[in-house]
Amino acid sequence: MAKKKVATKAEREHMNKVASLGCWICQRPANVHHIRPIGLGIGRRSSHYDTIPLCYDHHQGQFSIHNCKQQFEDMYGKETFILQEVKKLVADMEQANDLFNFYNTHKGEI
Ligand SMILES: [Zn+2]
Ligand SMILES: [Zn+2]
């Protein structure tokens, strides 16, 4: 098993944003699932940025990405595809936050 590296603050913030999206499949409260990038050798680990939100059932339940990956991907799409979509959503969320912060810091000037 790969050694777990402690997440940096930025990584934790990213994972919080991912989890806050809710389960990718059913929108229930979610934890993050780490995508294993293709072609990584032994000792390499997946990045905390390569995470998607999944609830317990879809993450570790009977028909989850961990227990039934083939079926899971047949039904919901490849995890690498889901990752791309999740990254887009988080980027949108960050942009919205930036705009919000910009507006708040420049209130009265605009
Ligand atoms: Zn997982
Ligand atoms: Zn779910």
Side-chain angles (χ1 to χ4, degrees):
M1 235 182 116
K3 235 196 276 175
K4 283 218 170 111
K5 202 192 94 179
V6 178
T8 64
K9 186 165 177 284
E11 287 171 331
R12 280 201 309 274
E13 275 172 12
H14 181 87
M15 287 192 281
N16 282 340
K17 283 175 199 157
V18 170
S20 77
L21 296 171
C23 177
W24 182 252
I25 314 300
C26 68
Q27 277 82 54
R28 282 192 292 171
N31 280 336
V32 296
H33 163 70
H34 287 75
I35 304 293
R36 184 172 292 275
I38 305 152
L40 280 193
I42 293 169
R44 300 287 304 276
R45 51 168 211 100
S46 51
S47 157
H48 291 300
Y49 289 101
D50 294 335
T51 43
I52 61 173
L54 291 172
C55 68
Y56 179 80
D57 284 347
H58 286 118
H59 190 198
Q60 285 154 323
Q62 205 182 348
F63 298 106
S64 65
I65 200 159
H66 279 286
N67 286 323
C68 265
K69 189 162 180 208
Q70 189 60 54
Q71 257 166 296
F72 183 97
E73 293 199 325
D74 285 350
M75 278 168 80
Y76 306 119
K78 288 231 168 281
E79 64 174 9
T80 46
F81 169 78
I82 297 173
L83 176 65
Q84 293 315 311
E85 296 299 304
V86 167
K87 282 189 170 172
K88 275 185 224 162
L89 283 178
V90 171
D92 284 353
M93 201 195 285
E94 279 167 355
Q95 214 169 29
N97 278 342
D98 285 351
L99 275 177
F100 181 78
N101 290 335
F102 180 85
Y103 177 75
N104 274 320
T105 35
H106 295 270
K107 236 194 279 187
E109 297 171 29
I110 302 170

